[in-house]
Amino acid sequence: MIIKKMHEMGVRSEHAYMAAMASVGLSVVAWVGSLKMEPGTGLARADRWGIFVGEWAPTFFGLGLALSHYEQHDGTLTADVHEFRQTQKAG
């Protein structure tokens, strides 16, 4: 039901996958930022920030998989792996 609602709102699996990849990068940025911008708080606090943001990635990947599955059954999946490979070989 939630996945259907997200799909109706225009959220696609590609969006969730991009958010997952962005959260991996943001995790590193949060860790480095906390380490440099909060002197005296130690490595443990930076680790907690990095882990907190890093936990978003599996959630977004899971949403991406659920949306992809819904798109396959709905018929709105834009391309599959075979079409992508054929495009690469042709180009």
Side-chain angles (χ1 to χ4, degrees):
M1 184 163 165
I2 293 172
I3 299 301
K4 181 180 178 184
K5 189 67 169 173
M6 289 176 67
H7 182 77
E8 290 171 357
M9 290 173 30
V11 179
R12 299 293 180 256
S13 58
E14 294 87 9
H15 300 141
Y17 293 139
M18 286 188 292
M21 294 305 295
S23 71
V24 170
L26 187 60
S27 176
V28 174
V29 169
W31 182 80
V32 171
S34 177
L35 197 59
K36 291 187 177 189
M37 293 182 183
E38 298 177 316
T41 57
L43 185 62
R45 184 175 175 122
D47 286 347
R48 285 192 295 271
W49 270 111
I51 290 170
F52 171 70
V53 177
E55 289 179 353
W56 299 350
T59 303
F60 287 129
F61 277 123
L63 284 172
L65 287 171
L67 284 164
S68 176
H69 184 73
Y70 183 84
E71 291 165 3
Q72 286 175 350
H73 288 287
D74 188 51
T76 57
L77 188 64
T78 55
D80 63 9
V81 174
H82 302 293
E83 291 175 11
F84 181 68
R85 288 183 182 160
Q86 289 172 353
T87 304
Q88 282 184 329
K89 287 180 183 178

